[in-house]
């Protein structure tokens, strides 16, 4: 466990950087997380950032422009995440401590419900060289009759194979949260047992559905629809404003782990945590005491990166993270000591900051 | 007298104004409320990432169902920067943070202390010793407790709050004094009819409105790949040169060419005149005016319904010929080649952002405030005089061992391990 805490994050970050080696010209999300993992070395939060770096390798998009401002914003974000992870470490460990495990499981069961709604109904097809495929269509405007040939990226409708399992999570997630909250109001051993069993079941379903989805992507097989079917689907998506006829189809394309926007990895992580949360051993953390100066330093970097990234959508969420972090800082400085609000607000800041990078790059914000 | 009568006669307790003030003060200085406001504020800001900002209602309808798009438009979630959400939350957050800060200053006894000890010596001696270890700082008295502070925590928090207020104020300034408009201009026209269409952004979407400043633009040279054109904007004497894809400033106005569309008719005729293999020259003609070319050929240009029309008379008394040059050019004579330049309308984005200075100041204040909080060590020392011996407490919120090291320097004869230091975990 000690070695995992000490070096796990750095090793995962280095693996992520090695995997991203071919995509240097564009600012990748995983590089920011890898940088964060290296800055926060020796902590569990570094391992978390390393995992995020690995999960976000070869995401289809990038949250920032590939210009000097975008690069600078991404580097500052990575440094800021690393510094914040140093500050957030005691809160992260406390979250998984025995006395706060129930609250953590409650939040994660609600998060599991939110994860069901992430977009997972489309897959991207890649050619043997690993590049996103495209196909040609003829688009004809229904009103003016103007026609033109367009190249479209090969995103095909493909419902998640574990859709039925995920619908059970919608039921079990709120039930778990209710049982765990009820246990807090009226402590009863049978309620506690039912709550933890429900949490394990929710986590198990999430893990199973994620593995099923990833297995489908790893198998690489997909039935590409014919040109006629493709044109029909696209015309329906155009809502009658244009007639679309497919000229070519993305033949020879296959699925890869990058085909779905990283939804299954997040489900796997959250599900695994729910599964092991009741029986997790107590975690230790390096006793380097309160480190609120890391929080304020990371907030300064967040303000700078927000300013650099400017109109990019992720800047709004980073601004939200700055607000949460400022409230945490006020708690830390005015109450002089860690309290529950201080830890939770810092964790929320980290979560928002990470989501600001992942969501636009993974395509969670757009509609394919 | 029944019990009911007694109840009627008993006056109901009235909340005095002092209670309400107390209640408001408790709420506004509450740390829990500060956290709740921060979370709500963050959720609103995160909506800015999910909902395309500055999108028109039509664009929202393309992405979201009707009811959702209507709700977003009503709440102004597609234009967060100028929405009432932003400044309201910023104001509430700043007020609450200020209240929490003042409350914390008034209740110095609250909170966790890193070091608590009862050193030997009377109060006067201790005051002198503490002051000397802190660079001869003078203490302040708060409710009978003498307090020394080092660092710039107060100034840093002030700067952070000032930054948040500046950003909030910038949204109000931008909303009331700024302008965001789109003008469709008929190029080459030098009067008020140059503006074909004027739209203004009013937080709910683009609406028809008078242009905030007068703008007139010349035609671009059709042979110029950069599509540069001269424009006169408002009261700016010197015309500015607009270029496709670039933002140009004219005084406090930002101009951005958005689109160029072909326009049938309108404006004075323009012809590209080329002789032989020489480079074509642009003739900006007046309707019905005759021009003599270098070789003596006379050319009269007219504005036709589908573009310019030319009447060409060769040198001498040759027969005049009517030419309707197409876009690709038409040979008027063996050596003379004419091509009509079709009229275009230019869509220009026009913005005035007086709030930018405030936004920049706000970002700068936040940056400096956070850096000060991180980089300057903070130490608070409190001395409570007591009959059984004065209690000295010390704490630092941003340096773990600073209070311990200071306590060791206060009692150089005692080893740090022997002090009754209580280090918070």
């Amino acid at each position: 466990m000690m070695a995992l805490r000490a070096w796990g994050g750095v090793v995962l970050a280095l693996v992520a950087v090695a995997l991203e080696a071919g995509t240097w010209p564009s600012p990748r999300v995983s590089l920011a997380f890898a940088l964060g993992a290296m800055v926060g070395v020796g902590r569990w939060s570094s391992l978390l950032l390393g995992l995020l770096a690995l999960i976000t390798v070869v995401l289809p998009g990038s949250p920032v422009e590939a210009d000097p401002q975008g690069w600078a914003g991404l580097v500052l974000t990575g440094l800021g995440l690393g510094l914040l992870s140093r500050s957030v470490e005691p809160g992260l460990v406390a979250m998984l401590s025995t006395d706060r495990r129930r609250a953590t499981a409650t939040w994660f069961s609600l998060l599991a419900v939110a994860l069901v709604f992430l977009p997972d109904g489309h897959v991207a097809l890649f050619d043997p060289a690993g590049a996103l495929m495209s196909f040609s269509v003829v688009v004809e405007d229904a009103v003016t009759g103007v026609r033109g040939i367009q190249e479209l990226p090969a995103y095909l409708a493909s419902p998640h194979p574990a859709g039925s399992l995920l619908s059970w999570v919608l039921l079990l997630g709120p039930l778990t949260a209710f049982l765990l909250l009820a246990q807090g109001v009226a402590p009863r051993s049978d309620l506690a047992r039912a709550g933890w069993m429900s949490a394990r079941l929710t986590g198990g379903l999430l893990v199973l559905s994620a593995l099923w989805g990833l297995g489908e992507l790893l198998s690489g097989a997909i039935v590409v629809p014919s040109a006629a079917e493709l044109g029909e689907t696209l015309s329906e998506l155009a809502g009658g404003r244009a007639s679309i006829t497919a000229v070519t189809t993305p033949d020879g394309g296959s699925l890869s782990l990058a085909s779905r926007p990283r939804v299954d990895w997040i489900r796997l992580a959250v599900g695994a945590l729910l599964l092991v949360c009741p029986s997790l051993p107590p975690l230790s953390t390096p006793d380097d005491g309160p480190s609120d100066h890391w929080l304020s330093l990371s907030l300064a970097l967040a303000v700078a990166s927000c300013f650099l990234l400017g109109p990019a959508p992720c800047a709004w969420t980073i601004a939200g993270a700055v607000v949460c972090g400022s409230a945490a800082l006020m708690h830390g400085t005015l109450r002089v000591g860690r309290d529950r609000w201080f830890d939770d607000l810092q964790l929320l800041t980290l979560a928002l900051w990470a989501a600001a990078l992942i969501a636009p790059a993974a395509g969670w914000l757009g509609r394919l | 007298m029944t019990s009911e009568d007694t109840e009627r006669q008993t006056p109901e307790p009235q909340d005095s104004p002092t209670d309400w003030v107390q209640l408001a003060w408790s709420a506004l200085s509450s740390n829990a409320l500060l956290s709740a406001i921060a979370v709500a504020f963050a959720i609103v800001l995160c909506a800015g990432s999910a909902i395309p900002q500055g999108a028109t209602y039509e664009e929202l309808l393309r992405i979201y169902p009707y009811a959702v798009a209507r709700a977003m438009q009503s709440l102004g979630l597609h234009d967060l920067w100028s929405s009432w959400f932003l400044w309201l939350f910023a104001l509430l957050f700043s007020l609450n943070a200020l209240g929490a800060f003042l409350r914390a200053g008034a209740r110095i006894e609250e909170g966790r202390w890193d070091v608590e000890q009862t050193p030997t010596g009377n109060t006067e001696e201790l005051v002198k010793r503490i002051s000397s270890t802190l660079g001869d700082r003078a203490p302040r008295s708060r409710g009978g407790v003498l307090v020394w502070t080092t660092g710039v925590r107060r100034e840093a928090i002030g700067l952070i709050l000032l930054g948040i207020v500046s950003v909030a104020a910038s949204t109000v300034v931008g909303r009331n004094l700024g302008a965001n408009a789109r003008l469709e201009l008929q190029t080459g026209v030098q009067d008020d009819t140059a503006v074909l269409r004027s739209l203004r952004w009013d937080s709910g979407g683009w609406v028809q409105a008078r242009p905030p400043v007068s703008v007139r633009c010349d035609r671009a040279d059709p042979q110029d790949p950069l599509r540069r054109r001269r424009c006169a904007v408002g009261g700016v004497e010197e015309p500015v040169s607009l270029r496709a894809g670039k933002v140009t400033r004219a005084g406090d106005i930002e101009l951005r060419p958005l689109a160029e569309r072909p326009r049938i008719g309108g404006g004075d005729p323009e012809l590209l005149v080329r002789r032989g293999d020489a480079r074509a020259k642009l003739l900006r003609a007046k309707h019905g005016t005759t021009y003599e070319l270098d070789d003596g050929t006379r050319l009269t240009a007219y504005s036709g319904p589908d573009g310019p029309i030319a009447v060409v008379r060769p040198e001498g008394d040759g027969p005049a010929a009517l030419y309707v040059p197409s876009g690709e050019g038409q040979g008027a004579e063996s050596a003379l080649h004419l091509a009509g330049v079709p009229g275009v309308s230019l869509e220009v984005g026009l913005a005035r952002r007086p709030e930018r200075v405030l936004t920049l100041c706000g970002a700068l204040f936040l940056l400096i405030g956070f850096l000060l909080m991180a980089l300057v060590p903070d130490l608070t020392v409190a001395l409570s005089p007591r009959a059984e011996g004065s209690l000295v407490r010390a704490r630092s919120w941003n340096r773990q061992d600073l209070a311990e090291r200071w306590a060791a320097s206060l009692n150089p004869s005692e080893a740090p391990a022997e002090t009754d230091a209580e280090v918070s975990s």
Side-chain angles (χ1 to χ4, degrees):
Chain A
M1 290 289 265
M2 294 291 283
L4 186 66
R5 190 190 74 193
W7 298 109
V10 174
V11 170
L12 290 177
L14 288 175
V15 172
V17 170
L19 289 173
E20 288 280 31
T23 58
W24 284 118
S26 63
R28 314 293 304 177
V29 176
S30 61
L31 296 181
F33 286 124
L35 190 58
M38 289 178 191
V39 172
V41 62
R43 289 164 177 79
W44 291 110
S45 46
S46 161
L47 185 69
L48 180 73
L49 289 179
L51 268 174
L52 282 174
L54 205 58
I55 287 172
T56 52
V57 164
V58 207
L59 273 182
S62 177
V64 298
E65 298 289 329
D67 54 14
Q69 273 194 332
W71 271 106
L74 200 74
V75 169
L76 286 184
T77 298
L79 287 174
L81 276 170
L83 294 177
L84 182 62
S85 76
R86 284 173 165 260
S87 181
V88 89
E89 174 79 357
L92 192 69
V93 172
M95 194 178 81
L96 297 172
S97 65
T98 317
D99 52 337
R100 285 189 56 188
R101 208 165 275 174
R102 193 171 49 79
T104 306
T106 308
W107 282 113
F108 272 83
S109 59
L110 293 176
L111 181 63
V113 175
L115 288 179
V116 174
F117 293 102
L118 286 180
D120 61 0
H122 290 82
V123 288
L125 291 188
F126 294 89
D127 62 16
L132 181 63
M133 289 190 75
S134 61
F135 61 102
S136 308
V137 294
V138 174
V139 184
E140 183 175 344
D141 189 274
V143 179
T144 60
V146 175
R147 289 160 64 95
I149 290 187
Q150 287 281 327
E151 286 283 314
L152 294 183
Y155 284 103
L156 303 179
S158 170
H160 197 278
S164 52
L165 283 183
L166 286 170
S167 59
W168 280 98
V169 174
L170 282 181
L171 198 69
L172 280 169
L175 181 69
T176 306
F178 174 76
L179 288 172
L180 292 173
L181 283 174
Q183 154 70 9
V185 177
R188 284 169 55 132
S189 58
D190 51 347
L191 262 183
R193 269 200 305 277
W196 287 121
M197 189 182 293
S198 181
R200 281 199 179 98
L201 206 55
T202 310
L205 281 178
L206 265 187
V207 168
L208 205 59
S209 61
L211 290 176
W212 196 344
L214 290 172
E216 187 205 36
L217 297 182
L218 280 174
S219 72
I222 187 169
V223 179
V224 177
S226 67
E229 286 171 336
L230 210 52
E232 201 174 312
T233 313
L234 291 171
S235 295
E236 272 179 30
L237 284 173
R241 282 189 290 271
S243 152
I244 299 176
T245 313
V247 179
T248 60
T249 54
D251 282 330
S254 62
L255 298 175
S256 83
L257 284 177
S259 288
R260 273 206 181 86
R262 292 302 185 276
V263 176
D264 286 326
W265 289 104
I266 307 285
R267 285 175 184 156
L268 186 66
V270 172
L273 193 76
L274 268 175
L275 206 57
V276 301
C277 192
S279 50
L280 205 64
L283 301 176
S284 62
T285 181
D287 185 22
D288 52 2
S291 41
D292 298 339
H293 58 295
W294 295 129
L295 173 63
S296 36
L297 207 52
S298 73
L299 288 177
L301 292 177
V303 170
S305 73
C306 221
F307 189 70
L308 282 170
L309 298 177
C314 64
W316 285 98
T317 308
I318 296 177
V322 169
V323 169
C324 276
S326 303
L329 192 64
M330 293 299 281
H331 267 281
T333 53
L334 300 183
R335 291 188 63 80
V336 191
R338 306 192 84 91
D339 66 352
R340 182 76 178 272
W341 277 111
F342 179 72
D343 288 340
D344 289 353
L345 282 171
Q346 279 200 101
L347 283 168
L348 186 61
T349 306
L350 186 67
L352 285 178
W353 209 342
L357 292 180
I358 298 174
W364 293 352
L365 301 180
R367 296 193 168 196
L368 297 173
Chain B
M1 191 183 279
T2 62
S3 64
E4 220 176 281
D5 293 333
T6 317
E7 276 177 18
R8 275 185 203 137
Q9 284 177 2
T10 310
E12 286 181 9
Q14 295 283 322
D15 289 330
S16 67
T18 318
D19 294 334
W20 285 106
V21 170
Q22 188 64 35
L23 185 68
W25 168 244
S26 304
L28 269 180
S29 59
S30 154
N31 276 325
L33 184 66
L34 182 70
S35 308
I37 290 174
V39 171
F41 193 6
I43 289 171
V44 168
L45 286 172
C46 290
S49 292
I51 301 166
Q53 295 298 296
T56 60
Y57 181 53
E58 290 72 27
E59 286 166 340
L60 287 179
L61 272 177
R62 261 182 239 137
I63 307 171
Y64 301 102
Y66 173 75
V68 178
R70 284 291 296 172
M72 283 176 181
Q73 196 197 21
S74 305
L75 293 171
L77 290 175
H78 64 314
D79 185 23
L80 275 178
W81 189 247
S82 57
S83 72
W84 57 271
F85 282 105
L86 200 75
W87 61 263
L88 181 69
F89 273 117
L91 197 68
L92 276 176
F93 185 84
S94 306
L95 278 178
N96 203 170
L98 188 65
F101 178 64
L102 293 176
R103 184 180 182 173
R107 300 184 180 181
I108 192 74
E109 301 273 351
E110 285 183 357
R112 195 177 297 175
W113 293 91
D114 294 337
V115 174
E116 285 189 25
Q117 56 183 222
T118 314
T120 54
N122 60 33
T123 305
E124 286 75 24
E125 280 176 7
L126 280 174
V127 169
K128 278 182 188 168
R129 272 163 62 192
I130 293 172
S131 291
S132 67
T133 54
L134 295 173
D136 290 328
R137 277 173 199 272
R140 283 172 295 162
S141 177
R142 286 187 190 164
V145 180
L146 294 173
V147 180
W148 290 260
T149 50
T150 64
V152 289
R153 181 179 67 153
R154 195 169 31 175
E155 292 79 3
I157 289 180
L159 272 177
I160 290 170
L161 293 183
L162 197 61
I164 294 172
V165 170
S166 291
V167 172
S170 76
T171 67
V172 179
V173 169
R175 195 171 176 165
N176 292 303
L177 302 177
N180 187 10
R182 284 180 181 176
L183 301 184
E184 189 173 357
L185 304 168
Q186 185 178 352
T187 55
V189 177
Q190 300 300 314
D191 55 34
D192 287 344
T193 60
V195 177
L196 296 169
R197 196 165 61 110
S198 170
L199 299 174
R200 178 175 58 82
W201 179 262
D202 79 335
S203 305
W206 293 101
V207 292
Q208 292 281 353
R210 288 172 60 82
V213 290
S214 66
V215 181
R216 287 194 303 271
C217 284
D218 207 347
R219 292 186 175 95
D221 183 347
Q223 297 172 105
D224 180 7
L226 298 176
R227 310 295 291 157
R228 280 173 293 211
R229 62 185 79 234
R230 305 274 283 171
C231 293
V233 184
V236 177
E237 296 286 330
E238 188 68 22
V240 292
S241 185
L242 283 197
R243 186 179 147 189
K246 292 279 179 191
V247 177
T248 308
R249 293 187 72 86
D252 61 343
I253 303 279
E254 283 178 4
L255 293 166
R256 184 195 297 270
L258 295 173
E260 197 175 298
R261 300 186 190 93
R263 181 173 169 75
I264 296 171
D268 288 324
E270 287 187 347
L271 291 162
L272 276 179
V273 183
R274 183 161 57 85
R275 186 169 292 282
D277 293 332
R279 189 173 186 272
K281 287 183 178 173
L282 179 70
L283 174 64
R284 293 179 174 174
K286 288 280 179 193
H287 178 74
T289 307
T290 302
Y291 299 86
E292 190 170 328
L293 305 182
D294 295 344
D295 62 348
T297 307
R298 281 171 297 154
L299 184 153
T300 311
Y302 301 93
S303 293
D306 297 326
I309 297 170
V311 175
V312 178
R313 291 186 186 84
E315 191 180 11
D317 291 332
L322 176 67
Y323 290 96
V324 185
S326 68
E328 292 177 355
Q330 185 175 354
E333 285 183 346
S334 57
L336 186 65
H337 196 84
L338 292 179
V341 179
V344 293
S345 74
L346 175 72
E347 194 176 348
V348 185
L350 189 149
R352 184 196 286 134
R353 296 194 176 90
E355 76 276 18
R356 180 167 288 183
V357 178
L358 270 176
T359 313
L360 277 172
C361 284
L364 201 64
F365 288 153
L366 284 171
L367 196 66
I368 295 173
F370 286 132
L371 284 176
L372 284 179
M373 291 196 94
L375 301 178
V376 181
D378 171 273
L379 180 69
T380 304
V381 178
L383 173 71
S384 308
R386 290 178 184 177
E388 64 273 20
S390 297
L391 176 68
V392 175
R393 290 172 293 183
R395 65 189 176 196
S396 170
W397 69 270
N398 64 359
R399 294 291 186 276
Q400 160 67 7
D401 55 348
L402 186 60
E404 275 185 88
R405 280 193 281 119
W406 173 81
S409 71
L410 185 66
N411 301 311
S413 56
E414 299 174 26
E418 291 168 357
T419 62
D420 52 349
E422 179 192 331
V423 180
S424 61
S425 60

